Each structure stands twice: as structure tokens, then as C-alpha cells.
């Protein structure tokens, strides 16, 4: 193994680093994962591109298309109920699409049920701080860093947009001084409610345990934590979602509207939970076009100056 100055570890094959054959992978906590559990072993990825047992959180970098970089960055949080992460479908696939729009993406592998709250929140806020602190290195604008998430990853993205300044998101590291506030959010069929009829019980149990404290339920209910400082948000959901009811997005949209936060929401008829970017789902299959229009309207596809 080769230890780089920035704390990045690359596995080598002969004299050729593995990073040369694929995307750059950054350790999220080069100084050591808070509350590390080395006894759990390394991250695991199955044949379908799903990641589990995440003990070493990382950011995988997907640069903008070479002929159209615009300086916007998106940190992508794949979904999976805080049990697994659909890294290929809701991470890599989105990153390749965003690249065509000139956006540099960072797919986040964040800790889950093996650690529980507040580890995922710390990971996503550290990701924002890390990208912002190295904006020049990745040729992105530090004021144009968004977070995109699907399902439970959408919940995590929403907590980043509402709890970015919370003490639980700090570990005492020097990087804590960097702002963790995302500049915009893109939420795909997000888990929002932590109680009530719209609850996705599996996500809550994996994150907060079987008998969560009322204070934790309140804190991790993004619709209750929205303020005027919550960043502009795009919401995409479907009526056909039987796993995470569409009411989750509606609850957050209502809270954003009350706080006068710019928000746009597309609710489609077709498309089951975890639809990703599949064809054949009626108008839901063109959600990337709606998202591109939203990004363009907000000036996020203009070349940064």
C-alpha cells in the first residue's frame, strides 16, 4: 500500500496505483474514523453494486465532463434504509449523468446501522467540509456545493441542509471550522418523517434503534428542523412509491414553504421506490430533465467566474 501526504491510501498493483484505473477515492476521516470499529472489518460491495458494513467512510470523485466544467459540485448519498447503499444505481449512475451537465460529483459511502446516529450526520457534514476546503483542488466553486440523496440518503441530505451547524456534526477536528452548509439540495423520494403515518420504520430503526428517544426523533425529523437558512431544495417523488410514501416529500415542501425557502417539487404518477433513472415509467422517467432545468434556473450550470 502507498500512503499519500494527504492521508489517502492507495492499493498498488506492481508500480501502478489502483486509482489510475478508476475514480479517485478519498478517505473521509484520514485522521481516524470517530468511534472506529475495526473489529467489523472492511466495507463490502456485492455483485449488484450495493455497499454494506461501511466502517471506512469515503468520497469517490467523478470529475465534470472535460469540455464543460462549470464549477458546481454535488455530494451524492445513495439510499438503502441506513442498512445498505445502492452505490451503483443511486451513486455512480447519478454521478455520470451530472458529469454530462458539467458538475463534479462525490459519491459518499457513509456509516449506517453498525454505528447509528449521529455517525451518518457527521459523515455527510464532514463530506461538505472536505469538498469545500479542497474546492481549488477539484476546480469547484466553494459556494456551489450541493447534496443529493435518495430514500434514506435523501433523509441524510435533508439533515445536512437543516443540521449543518449542529454540535453533533463536529468532532473537534480542525476542519470543523469550515462551513458544512450545503448550497442546495436535490432529494429523490426521500425518507423525511420519523413518526406518524408516513414513517419508513426500517430507516428509523436502523438509524435510531428500536426504541428511539423522543429528542432524537425530533432532531432527525428534517421537516421540523427547517429554518430560513435551509438551502434551496428540489424534491422528486411518485404516487406509486409504496415503500416511502409521497407524503414525506410533501411534509418537507410544506415546511420549506412556511420558512420561505426556495423549493420546487415534482410528484409523478408512475415509478416505484428506488426508480433511479429507469425508462418506461411515464413522465417520471424524464425527472433528470426537470432537475437539469432547475439547476439551470438557479444558475448552477453556468460556468463559474
Amino acid at each position: 500500500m502507498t500512503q499519500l501526504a494527504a492521508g489517502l491510501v492507495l492499493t498498488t498493483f506492481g508500480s501502478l496505483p489502483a486509482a489510475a484505473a478508476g475514480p479517485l477515492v478519498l478517505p473521509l476521516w484520514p485522521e481516524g474514523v470517530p468511534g472506529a470499529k475495526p473489529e467489523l472489518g472492511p466495507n463490502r460491495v456485492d455483485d449488484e453494486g450495493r455497499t454494506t458494513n461501511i466502517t471506512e467512510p469515503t468520497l469517490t470523485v467523478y470529475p465534470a465532463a472535460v469540455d464543460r466544467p462549470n464549477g458546481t459540485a454535488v455530494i451524492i448519498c445513495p439510499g438503502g434504509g441506513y442498512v445498505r447503499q445502492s452505490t451503483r444505481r443511486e451513486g455512480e449512475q447519478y454521478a455520470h449523468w451530472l458529469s454530462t451537465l458539467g458538475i463534479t460529483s462525490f459519491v459518499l459511502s457513509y456509516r449506517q446501522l453498525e454505528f447509528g446516529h449521529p455517525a451518518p450526520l457527521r459523515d455527510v457534514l464532514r463530506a461538505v467540509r472536505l469538498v469545500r476546503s479542497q474546492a481549488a483542488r477539484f476546480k469547484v466553486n466553494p459556494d456551489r456545493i450541493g447534496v443529493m440523496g435518495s430514500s434514506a440518503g435523501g433523509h441524510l441530505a435533508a439533515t445536512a441542509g437543516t443540521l449543518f451547524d449542529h454540535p453533533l456534526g463536529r468532532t473537534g477536528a480542525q476542519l470543523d471550522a469550515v462551513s458544512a452548509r450545503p448550497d442546495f439540495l436535490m432529494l429523490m423520494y426521500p425518507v423525511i418523517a420519523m413518526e406518524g403515518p408516513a414513517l419508513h420504520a426500517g430507516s428509523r430503526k436502523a438509524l435510531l434503534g428500536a426504541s428511539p428517544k423522543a429528542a432524537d426523533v425530533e432532531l432527525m425529523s428534517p421537516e421540523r428542523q427547517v429554518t430560513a437558512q435551509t438551502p434551496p431544495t428540489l424534491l422528486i417523488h411518485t404516487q406509486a412509491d409504496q415503500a416511502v410514501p409521497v407524503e414525506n416529500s410533501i411534509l418537507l415542501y410544506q415546511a420549506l414553504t412556511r420558512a420561505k425557502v426556495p423549493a420546487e417539487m415534482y410528484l409523478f404518477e408512475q415509478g416505484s421506490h428506488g426508480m433511479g433513472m429507469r425508462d418506461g415509467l411515464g413522465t417520471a422517467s424524464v425527472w433528470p430533465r426537470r432537475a437539469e432545468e432547475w439547476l439551470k434556473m438557479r444558475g448552477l450550470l453556468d460556468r463559474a467566474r
Side-chain angles (χ1 to χ4, degrees), residues 50-74:
R50 295 174 300 197
T51 310
T52 56
N53 195 60
I54 296 171
T55 56
E56 290 286 343
T58 61
L59 279 176
T60 302
V61 186
Y62 294 84
V66 67
D67 60 345
R68 66 191 70 175
N70 54 37
T72 296
V74 171

mmCIF file of all heavy atoms in Angstrom, residues 50-74:
data_model
loop_
_atom_site.group_PDB
_atom_site.id
_atom_site.type_symbol
_atom_site.label_atom_id
_atom_site.label_comp_id
_atom_site.label_asym_id
_atom_site.label_seq_id
_atom_site.Cartn_x
_atom_site.Cartn_y
_atom_site.Cartn_z
ATOM 1 N N ARG A 50 -24.072 -2.844 -4.381
ATOM 2 C CA ARG A 50 -24.586 -2.325 -3.110
ATOM 3 C C ARG A 50 -23.510 -2.444 -2.037
ATOM 4 O O ARG A 50 -22.855 -3.484 -1.927
ATOM 5 C CB ARG A 50 -25.841 -3.085 -2.691
ATOM 6 C CG ARG A 50 -27.017 -2.887 -3.633
ATOM 7 C CD ARG A 50 -28.190 -3.749 -3.279
ATOM 8 N NE ARG A 50 -27.864 -5.165 -3.326
ATOM 9 C CZ ARG A 50 -28.771 -6.141 -3.367
ATOM 10 N NH1 ARG A 50 -30.056 -5.850 -3.348
ATOM 11 N NH2 ARG A 50 -28.398 -7.407 -3.400
ATOM 12 N N THR A 51 -23.354 -1.386 -1.269
ATOM 13 C CA THR A 51 -22.298 -1.327 -0.261
ATOM 14 C C THR A 51 -22.895 -1.531 1.123
ATOM 15 O O THR A 51 -23.916 -0.929 1.470
ATOM 16 C CB THR A 51 -21.567 0.026 -0.316
ATOM 17 O OG1 THR A 51 -21.186 0.302 -1.664
ATOM 18 C CG2 THR A 51 -20.320 0.014 0.554
ATOM 19 N N THR A 52 -22.255 -2.386 1.923
ATOM 20 C CA THR A 52 -22.699 -2.644 3.293
ATOM 21 C C THR A 52 -21.489 -2.638 4.224
ATOM 22 O O THR A 52 -20.346 -2.543 3.785
ATOM 23 C CB THR A 52 -23.413 -4.011 3.403
ATOM 24 O OG1 THR A 52 -22.527 -5.041 2.926
ATOM 25 C CG2 THR A 52 -24.695 -4.038 2.581
ATOM 26 N N ASN A 53 -21.782 -2.742 5.528
ATOM 27 C CA ASN A 53 -20.720 -2.831 6.547
ATOM 28 C C ASN A 53 -19.700 -1.706 6.385
ATOM 29 O O ASN A 53 -18.492 -1.916 6.406
ATOM 30 C CB ASN A 53 -20.006 -4.184 6.452
ATOM 31 C CG ASN A 53 -19.172 -4.482 7.693
ATOM 32 O OD1 ASN A 53 -19.703 -4.545 8.797
ATOM 33 N ND2 ASN A 53 -17.866 -4.640 7.536
ATOM 34 N N ILE A 54 -20.214 -0.480 6.250
ATOM 35 C CA ILE A 54 -19.320 0.651 5.981
ATOM 36 C C ILE A 54 -18.660 1.096 7.280
ATOM 37 O O ILE A 54 -19.291 1.686 8.158
ATOM 38 C CB ILE A 54 -20.081 1.805 5.303
ATOM 39 C CG1 ILE A 54 -20.580 1.331 3.938
ATOM 40 C CG2 ILE A 54 -19.186 3.033 5.158
ATOM 41 C CD1 ILE A 54 -21.521 2.268 3.248
ATOM 42 N N THR A 55 -17.381 0.780 7.384
ATOM 43 C CA THR A 55 -16.599 1.151 8.557
ATOM 44 C C THR A 55 -15.570 2.226 8.235
ATOM 45 O O THR A 55 -15.050 2.874 9.138
ATOM 46 C CB THR A 55 -15.869 -0.085 9.122
ATOM 47 O OG1 THR A 55 -15.069 -0.675 8.087
ATOM 48 C CG2 THR A 55 -16.874 -1.120 9.610
ATOM 49 N N GLU A 56 -15.281 2.388 6.942
ATOM 50 C CA GLU A 56 -14.350 3.420 6.470
ATOM 51 C C GLU A 56 -15.079 4.308 5.476
ATOM 52 O O GLU A 56 -15.108 4.028 4.282
ATOM 53 C CB GLU A 56 -13.116 2.777 5.814
ATOM 54 C CG GLU A 56 -12.194 2.063 6.782
ATOM 55 C CD GLU A 56 -11.374 3.026 7.627
ATOM 56 O OE1 GLU A 56 -11.276 4.220 7.253
ATOM 57 O OE2 GLU A 56 -10.826 2.597 8.655
ATOM 58 N N PRO A 57 -15.705 5.388 5.939
ATOM 59 C CA PRO A 57 -16.432 6.277 5.026
ATOM 60 C C PRO A 57 -15.486 6.897 3.994
ATOM 61 O O PRO A 57 -14.348 7.258 4.320
ATOM 62 C CB PRO A 57 -17.011 7.345 5.955
ATOM 63 C CG PRO A 57 -17.005 6.718 7.316
ATOM 64 C CD PRO A 57 -15.819 5.819 7.342
ATOM 65 N N THR A 58 -15.982 7.026 2.760
ATOM 66 C CA THR A 58 -15.157 7.556 1.680
ATOM 67 C C THR A 58 -15.962 8.484 0.783
ATOM 68 O O THR A 58 -17.200 8.490 0.805
ATOM 69 C CB THR A 58 -14.579 6.434 0.799
ATOM 70 O OG1 THR A 58 -15.665 5.702 0.199
ATOM 71 C CG2 THR A 58 -13.701 5.481 1.597
ATOM 72 N N LEU A 59 -15.243 9.245 -0.030
ATOM 73 C CA LEU A 59 -15.811 10.035 -1.120
ATOM 74 C C LEU A 59 -15.140 9.578 -2.409
ATOM 75 O O LEU A 59 -13.911 9.606 -2.502
ATOM 76 C CB LEU A 59 -15.558 11.531 -0.925
ATOM 77 C CG LEU A 59 -16.467 12.315 0.009
ATOM 78 C CD1 LEU A 59 -15.965 13.756 0.128
ATOM 79 C CD2 LEU A 59 -17.905 12.313 -0.496
ATOM 80 N N THR A 60 -15.938 9.172 -3.391
ATOM 81 C CA THR A 60 -15.400 8.786 -4.692
ATOM 82 C C THR A 60 -15.671 9.919 -5.673
ATOM 83 O O THR A 60 -16.814 10.359 -5.820
ATOM 84 C CB THR A 60 -16.038 7.481 -5.185
ATOM 85 O OG1 THR A 60 -15.802 6.452 -4.217
ATOM 86 C CG2 THR A 60 -15.434 7.055 -6.512
ATOM 87 N N VAL A 61 -14.620 10.377 -6.335
ATOM 88 C CA VAL A 61 -14.682 11.593 -7.145
ATOM 89 C C VAL A 61 -14.957 11.253 -8.607
ATOM 90 O O VAL A 61 -14.272 10.426 -9.208
ATOM 91 C CB VAL A 61 -13.358 12.378 -7.041
ATOM 92 C CG1 VAL A 61 -13.480 13.723 -7.764
ATOM 93 C CG2 VAL A 61 -12.955 12.584 -5.581
ATOM 94 N N TYR A 62 -15.963 11.927 -9.170
ATOM 95 C CA TYR A 62 -16.299 11.814 -10.592
ATOM 96 C C TYR A 62 -16.228 13.215 -11.204
ATOM 97 O O TYR A 62 -17.135 14.017 -11.008
ATOM 98 C CB TYR A 62 -17.698 11.219 -10.774
ATOM 99 C CG TYR A 62 -17.795 9.783 -10.319
ATOM 100 C CD1 TYR A 62 -18.016 9.475 -8.971
ATOM 101 C CD2 TYR A 62 -17.645 8.733 -11.218
ATOM 102 C CE1 TYR A 62 -18.095 8.149 -8.541
ATOM 103 C CE2 TYR A 62 -17.720 7.407 -10.799
ATOM 104 C CZ TYR A 62 -17.947 7.129 -9.465
ATOM 105 O OH TYR A 62 -18.020 5.817 -9.037
ATOM 106 N N PRO A 63 -15.166 13.515 -11.948
ATOM 107 C CA PRO A 63 -14.999 14.871 -12.488
ATOM 108 C C PRO A 63 -16.082 15.237 -13.501
ATOM 109 O O PRO A 63 -16.713 14.363 -14.117
ATOM 110 C CB PRO A 63 -13.622 14.809 -13.165
ATOM 111 C CG PRO A 63 -12.939 13.624 -12.569
ATOM 112 C CD PRO A 63 -14.034 12.647 -12.261
ATOM 113 N N ALA A 64 -16.259 16.529 -13.688
ATOM 114 C CA ALA A 64 -17.154 17.029 -14.725
ATOM 115 C C ALA A 64 -16.605 16.654 -16.095
ATOM 116 O O ALA A 64 -15.401 16.444 -16.260
ATOM 117 C CB ALA A 64 -17.275 18.545 -14.611
ATOM 118 N N ALA A 65 -17.499 16.540 -17.072
ATOM 119 C CA ALA A 65 -17.072 16.277 -18.444
ATOM 120 C C ALA A 65 -16.004 17.290 -18.837
ATOM 121 O O ALA A 65 -16.108 18.487 -18.528
ATOM 122 C CB ALA A 65 -18.265 16.364 -19.387
ATOM 123 N N VAL A 66 -14.978 16.806 -19.501
ATOM 124 C CA VAL A 66 -13.770 17.598 -19.722
ATOM 125 C C VAL A 66 -14.028 18.885 -20.488
ATOM 126 O O VAL A 66 -13.322 19.885 -20.293
ATOM 127 C CB VAL A 66 -12.701 16.742 -20.440
ATOM 128 C CG1 VAL A 66 -13.148 16.396 -21.866
ATOM 129 C CG2 VAL A 66 -11.347 17.428 -20.446
ATOM 130 N N ASP A 67 -15.061 18.917 -21.322
ATOM 131 C CA ASP A 67 -15.286 20.102 -22.157
ATOM 132 C C ASP A 67 -16.333 21.058 -21.607
ATOM 133 O O ASP A 67 -16.680 22.038 -22.266
ATOM 134 C CB ASP A 67 -15.687 19.667 -23.573
ATOM 135 C CG ASP A 67 -16.961 18.825 -23.581
ATOM 136 O OD1 ASP A 67 -17.359 18.355 -22.499
ATOM 137 O OD2 ASP A 67 -17.545 18.648 -24.670
ATOM 138 N N ARG A 68 -16.843 20.804 -20.407
ATOM 139 C CA ARG A 68 -17.900 21.681 -19.914
ATOM 140 C C ARG A 68 -17.925 21.860 -18.394
ATOM 141 O O ARG A 68 -19.005 22.042 -17.812
ATOM 142 C CB ARG A 68 -19.254 21.160 -20.391
ATOM 143 C CG ARG A 68 -19.662 19.815 -19.813
ATOM 144 C CD ARG A 68 -20.865 19.240 -20.521
ATOM 145 N NE ARG A 68 -20.503 18.824 -21.863
ATOM 146 C CZ ARG A 68 -21.333 18.194 -22.692
ATOM 147 N NH1 ARG A 68 -22.566 17.938 -22.314
ATOM 148 N NH2 ARG A 68 -20.938 17.818 -23.894
ATOM 149 N N PRO A 69 -16.813 21.823 -17.695
ATOM 150 C CA PRO A 69 -16.868 22.022 -16.237
ATOM 151 C C PRO A 69 -17.415 23.405 -15.904
ATOM 152 O O PRO A 69 -17.031 24.402 -16.520
ATOM 153 C CB PRO A 69 -15.412 21.869 -15.802
ATOM 154 C CG PRO A 69 -14.621 22.220 -17.017
ATOM 155 C CD PRO A 69 -15.425 21.741 -18.180
ATOM 156 N N ASN A 70 -18.324 23.457 -14.949
ATOM 157 C CA ASN A 70 -18.935 24.748 -14.597
ATOM 158 C C ASN A 70 -18.680 25.163 -13.155
ATOM 159 O O ASN A 70 -19.163 26.210 -12.719
ATOM 160 C CB ASN A 70 -20.441 24.724 -14.890
ATOM 161 C CG ASN A 70 -21.160 23.561 -14.213
ATOM 162 O OD1 ASN A 70 -20.842 23.190 -13.093
ATOM 163 N ND2 ASN A 70 -22.129 22.982 -14.916
ATOM 164 N N GLY A 71 -17.958 24.351 -12.386
ATOM 165 C CA GLY A 71 -17.613 24.743 -11.026
ATOM 166 C C GLY A 71 -18.601 24.307 -9.962
ATOM 167 O O GLY A 71 -18.371 24.526 -8.772
ATOM 168 N N THR A 72 -19.707 23.671 -10.366
ATOM 169 C CA THR A 72 -20.677 23.177 -9.389
ATOM 170 C C THR A 72 -20.275 21.768 -8.937
ATOM 171 O O THR A 72 -19.780 20.974 -9.728
ATOM 172 C CB THR A 72 -22.088 23.148 -10.000
ATOM 173 O OG1 THR A 72 -22.480 24.495 -10.303
ATOM 174 C CG2 THR A 72 -23.112 22.541 -9.053
ATOM 175 N N ALA A 73 -20.498 21.485 -7.667
ATOM 176 C CA ALA A 73 -20.189 20.169 -7.094
ATOM 177 C C ALA A 73 -21.431 19.608 -6.420
ATOM 178 O O ALA A 73 -22.226 20.354 -5.845
ATOM 179 C CB ALA A 73 -19.051 20.269 -6.091
ATOM 180 N N VAL A 74 -21.587 18.281 -6.479
ATOM 181 C CA VAL A 74 -22.691 17.606 -5.797
ATOM 182 C C VAL A 74 -22.138 16.405 -5.034
ATOM 183 O O VAL A 74 -21.441 15.557 -5.612
ATOM 184 C CB VAL A 74 -23.777 17.144 -6.787
ATOM 185 C CG1 VAL A 74 -24.806 16.259 -6.081
ATOM 186 C CG2 VAL A 74 -24.485 18.343 -7.411
#
